[in-house]
Amino acid sequence: MPIAGQDYPGDLAQMRAWFPDDEACLDYLDWLRWPNGFQCPACESYSATRQAGRYRCRSCRKRVSVTAGTLFDKTRTPLTVRFEAVWLMTAGKQGVSAAHLHRVLPISSYQTAWTMLSKLRSAMSPAGSLLLAGRVEVDETFIGGPRPGTVGRGAAGKTLVAGAIEVKDHGWGRARLAVIPDASASSLKQFIRANIEAGSTVVSDGWSAYPGALEGYEHERLNVSASGMPAHHSLPAVHRLFASVKRLIDGTYQGSGTAEHLPEYLDEFVFRFNRRHSSSRGLVFLRLLQRAILAQPVSYQELVRVPKPKSASPTGVSGPRAQPGSLNIGPLDRPWRVNGSKIDK
């Protein structure tokens, strides 16, 4: 297991002390990407020289930067800013919004902040992780504001989300959330097989589609309507899961988690939820950086689900673009004391 204070910063103070400039950030990413030393991504050779922050492979002569082919590929935003964003995204239970990043960090636009967070979310997918196992509660819920239409599983205009969570003897385990097209047996079967290990015990309500969706699983069926108890009493774990993710959407993102981008928000929530018992928030920071450095580059065009053309092209803009802001501004000698300035009371 990685060790706090040695392999990752244990708290915010250590994080800022470890990464005061882009050079330190780049060296940390180098260590994460090639813990056993540089390996050329083209020819897999271990022999290389380093020049001006880049490696040159001795075998194929290819020049490779530490961030090339990762989520940090071709970024103009300083790594100090990106590391701070990763910390803010992983340290709090409810994450951080692009609007908040734009306000508190030297980021030039909301679009830049949104793109930064969206790239990180693309690395948070649970695909490839171990499947849920043991006793697992499963149910569905709708996410979206009040809209006209039929109530219940036939509701129109909202997004249907399936959830699953392990139920342990002393609490709850890992979880999964995913958007599904409908509550049919085929849709539920696809979600269950993609997220729950065969042979596990699945606990559900009395919805008629579950028996057909649970072939190969032990099925514990609860008739919620006949019990006279609210659904969140019969299936407390999965309903607490739904309540938590809705707080994320309505709180941090002010209800702006659109249907097109909802899967990424669900992945972000699950990534943090499944690591809620980590001994340090710095460990979650490390895990996300590990995924980001191994992930493939993603462009802004790939992140936008429904492109919206600009109402008008910018005019009067010429010359080189301004350099993005950095957190590496060096120590300042008590500017509030300069020239004997005073604040009006």
Side-chain angles (χ1 to χ4, degrees), residues 56-222:
R56 180 180 286 277
C57 178
R58 286 195 175 99
S59 296
C60 66
R61 309 302 297 169
K62 182 179 179 65
R63 294 186 67 190
V64 181
S65 71
V66 174
T67 57
T70 74
L71 283 188
F72 302 108
D73 192 17
K74 299 178 182 177
T75 178
R76 293 184 72 249
T77 304
L79 290 174
T80 52
V81 176
R82 288 188 171 273
F83 272 43
E84 186 85 11
V86 172
W87 184 273
L88 291 173
M89 196 177 195
T90 55
K93 290 183 178 180
Q94 296 299 316
V96 63
S97 68
H100 181 71
L101 278 192
H102 186 209
R103 282 194 300 267
V104 303
L105 294 180
I107 297 175
S108 59
S109 67
Y110 173 86
Q111 177 181 314
T112 300
W114 181 88
T115 304
M116 188 184 304
L117 293 180
S118 296
K119 286 185 177 183
L120 292 173
R121 289 190 194 102
S122 71
M124 290 178 162
S125 169
S129 301
L130 293 176
L131 301 181
L132 307 185
R135 192 167 186 266
V136 183
E137 284 186 11
V138 175
D139 203 1
E140 327 92 59
T141 190
F142 283 97
I143 292 182
R147 298 175 188 172
T150 307
V151 298
R153 285 185 169 94
K158 297 184 181 183
T159 305
L160 185 61
V161 172
I165 182 170
E166 295 172 333
V167 180
K168 306 289 187 180
D169 292 337
H170 303 288
W172 302 329
R174 298 167 298 142
R176 292 286 192 276
L177 291 165
V179 173
I180 57 176
D182 51 50
S184 66
S186 60
S187 297
L188 291 171
K189 183 176 184 178
Q190 184 176 357
F191 168 77
I192 290 168
R193 291 199 170 184
N195 294 284
I196 304 175
E197 188 177 300
S200 300
T201 299
V202 176
V203 186
S204 76
D205 61 16
W207 177 238
S208 59
Y210 277 112
L214 289 170
E215 297 176 2
Y217 297 85
E218 296 292 329
H219 186 193
E220 186 176 324
R221 187 176 182 181
L222 302 177

Side-chain angles (χ1 to χ4, degrees), residues 296-310:
Q296 293 297 311
V298 183
S299 67
Y300 174 76
Q301 288 73 21
E302 292 174 300
L303 294 170
V304 177
R305 296 288 181 268
V306 183
K308 296 180 180 179
K310 295 182 178 179

